[in-house]
């Protein structure tokens, strides 16, 4: 699995530290999500996707017409069109932070089923077809709700799934404890970039913040993220840009400058390198319902 890890990228999702959930609800003909990982949980519902290939950790299989999978933090996952000839594949993806429900809450007896499910999700969980069909209306309705009603409905979905029958663990492999988000120093870097990504940020300033030399800091970032500091900073900026492209009715140039890029052409180049498409194509690709709360 170490060899596999070197070929899989960490995705910076459009979900920021101040958000609770991200919901995508869309219908597509071209369904292809290269294998990646991120520290957020992901609940993925797919309808009309028979023949799509599911990859979760070391697990690989063609899916049936209805699919509902929970992927735990930092577990490699992806879906490719493979043998699917269907059109209008319906996908609903819900992403949420791995610390959205704190340990103090999860340790309460009433939350034990959800806590246990979260632990199992480190291998990926495939829910039964009957469970997927039964919970679909609630998942579909989630993007129409507001505020606390949204949160409570989401908790009820998690509880329903946690106590459902026919759950199947997918991957023998699960992420190790030595992961990106478990480093205290990388948390400092991450939190600083989340607050200041729109400003000019120098390597020497970041190194000083951690009481490191520039050389040591650069080695540290490369070891923890697999990328240079500039590449990682651009990851964060592209993550915010991705969310703004979906939510804000402003020009691409405004988004580029607002995310800390010094010109639009550089933004377009960096965005395409990270996402495999231009900002305009990305915005079009995610046409449908999208909510961040």
């Amino acid at each position: 699995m170490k060899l596999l890890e070197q070929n899989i990228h960490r995705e910076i999702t459009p979900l920021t530290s101040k958000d609770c959930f991200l919901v995508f609800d869309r219908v597509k003909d071209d369904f292809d999500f290269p294998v990646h990982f991120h520290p957020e949980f992901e609940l993925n519902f797919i309808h009309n996707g028979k023949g799509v290939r599911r990859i979760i950790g070391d697990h690989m299989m063609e899916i049936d017409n209805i699919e509902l999978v929970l992927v735990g933090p930092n577990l490699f996952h992806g879906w490719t069109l493979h043998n699917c000839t269907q059109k209008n594949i319906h996908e609903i993806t819900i992403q949420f932070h791995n610390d959205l429900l704190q340990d103090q809450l999860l340790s309460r007896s009433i939350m034990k089923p959800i806590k246990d499910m979260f632990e199992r999700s480190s291998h990926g969980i495939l829910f039964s077809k009957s469970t997927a069909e039964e919970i679909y209306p609630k998942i579909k309705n989630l993007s129409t709700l507001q505020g606390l009603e949204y949160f409570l409905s989401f908790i009820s979905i998690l509880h329903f799934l946690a106590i459902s029958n026919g759950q199947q663990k997918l991957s023998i492999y699960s992420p190790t404890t030595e992961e990106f988000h478990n480093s205290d120093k990388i948390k400092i870097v991450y939190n600083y970039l989340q607050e200041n990504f729109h400003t000019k940020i120098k390597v020497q300033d970041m190194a000083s913040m951690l009481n490191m030399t520039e050389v040591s800091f650069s080695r540290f970032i490369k070891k923890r993220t697999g990328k240079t500091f500039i590449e990682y900073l651009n990851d964060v900026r592209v993550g915010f840009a991705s969310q703004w492209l979906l939510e804000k009715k402003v020009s691409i140039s405004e988004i580029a400058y607002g995310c800390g890029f010094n010109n639009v052409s550089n933004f377009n180049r960096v965005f395409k390198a990270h996402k495999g498409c231009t900002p305009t194509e990305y915005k079009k690709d995610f046409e449908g319902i999208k909510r961040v709360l």
Side-chain angles (χ1 to χ4, degrees):
M1 188 57 63
K2 289 295 182 183
L3 178 62
L4 180 61
E5 289 179 13
Q6 295 173 5
N7 300 318
I8 296 173
H9 74 280
R10 180 190 185 275
E11 180 184 63
I12 302 293
T13 70
L15 191 66
T16 73
S17 59
K18 295 181 181 179
D19 303 319
C20 288
F21 315 96
L22 172 67
V23 180
F24 292 126
D25 185 338
R26 56 184 176 166
V27 177
K28 297 186 63 181
D29 292 341
D30 181 16
F31 192 82
D32 194 2
F33 294 93
V35 179
H36 61 283
F37 70 99
H38 44 70
E40 296 82 12
F41 284 95
E42 181 172 302
L43 182 64
N44 204 20
F45 173 89
I46 303 171
H47 179 252
N48 205 33
K50 186 175 178 62
V52 165
R53 179 165 59 187
R54 173 206 313 125
I55 303 168
I56 307 288
D58 54 23
H59 161 93
M60 185 183 300
M61 185 176 290
E62 283 190 14
I63 75 172
D64 205 345
N65 201 43
I66 291 181
E67 164 100 336
L68 182 61
V69 169
L70 178 64
V71 180
N74 294 309
L75 177 61
F76 310 140
H77 60 283
W79 283 261
T80 61
L81 200 58
H82 193 48
N83 291 325
C84 181
T85 59
Q86 303 290 333
K87 301 296 182 183
N88 300 323
I89 302 170
H90 184 196
E91 173 218 359
I92 302 176
T93 297
I94 304 170
Q95 294 175 339
F96 57 100
H97 288 294
N98 56 39
D99 60 355
L100 178 64
L101 302 178
Q102 301 269 326
D103 289 341
Q104 293 92 332
L105 176 61
L106 288 174
S107 65
R108 305 299 193 246
S109 58
I110 195 172
M111 299 294 287
K112 188 177 188 304
I114 294 177
K115 180 181 181 181
D116 291 345
M117 180 178 69
F118 282 175
E119 292 175 353
R120 295 193 302 274
S121 75
S122 65
H123 298 270
I125 302 173
L126 173 66
F127 298 97
S128 70
K129 182 179 178 180
S130 60
T131 296
E133 290 174 336
E134 189 171 351
I135 200 62
Y136 167 69
K138 283 191 174 182
I139 293 177
K140 175 67 176 175
N141 188 55
L142 196 61
S143 61
T144 68
L145 303 178
Q146 298 286 342
L148 188 58
E149 186 181 12
Y150 183 100
F151 182 80
L152 294 176
S153 179
F154 177 71
I155 296 299
S156 71
I157 289 172
L158 290 180
H159 184 261
F160 176 86
L161 295 177
I163 63 175
S164 66
N165 296 320
Q167 298 179 38
Q168 177 184 346
K169 286 201 296 185
L170 297 176
S171 174
I172 296 174
Y173 163 85
S174 65
T176 64
T177 56
E178 185 66 15
E179 293 290 357
F180 167 89
H181 64 288
N182 287 329
S183 164
D184 288 337
K185 288 185 177 179
I186 204 68
K187 283 182 181 178
I188 294 173
V189 175
Y190 174 81
N191 289 335
Y192 182 85
L193 297 186
Q194 288 284 313
E195 296 294 331
N196 300 280
F197 64 93
H198 57 286
T199 66
K200 185 175 181 179
I201 300 175
K202 298 180 179 179
V203 174
Q204 53 264 42
D205 294 336
M206 298 301 301
S208 297
M209 185 184 301
L210 297 184
N211 295 317
M212 289 181 169
T213 65
E214 288 185 42
V215 173
S216 296
F217 175 76
S218 296
R219 288 175 180 168
F220 165 73
I221 290 294
K222 185 71 173 179
K223 180 180 178 181
R224 299 303 301 177
T225 70
K227 301 181 180 182
T228 67
F229 174 70
I230 296 302
E231 290 171 338
Y232 177 57
L233 172 58
N234 283 337
D235 270 357
V236 175
R237 287 172 169 165
V238 167
F240 277 93
S242 299
Q243 179 173 332
W244 292 358
L245 284 166
L246 301 182
E247 290 191 306
K248 296 189 176 185
K249 294 182 179 180
V250 297
S251 69
I252 289 177
S253 62
E254 288 179 275
I255 290 175
Y257 291 116
C259 289
F261 292 93
N262 54 13
N263 61 70
V264 177
S265 60
N266 183 46
F267 169 62
N268 287 334
R269 179 183 59 79
V270 172
F271 191 95
K272 187 169 185 178
H274 282 69
K275 295 294 186 181
C277 61
T278 67
T280 300
E281 291 168 341
Y282 181 86
K283 189 178 182 74
K284 183 177 180 181
D285 187 45
F286 279 88
E287 287 179 348
I289 299 172
K290 49 261 183 183
R291 291 286 307 283
V292 182
L293 291 176

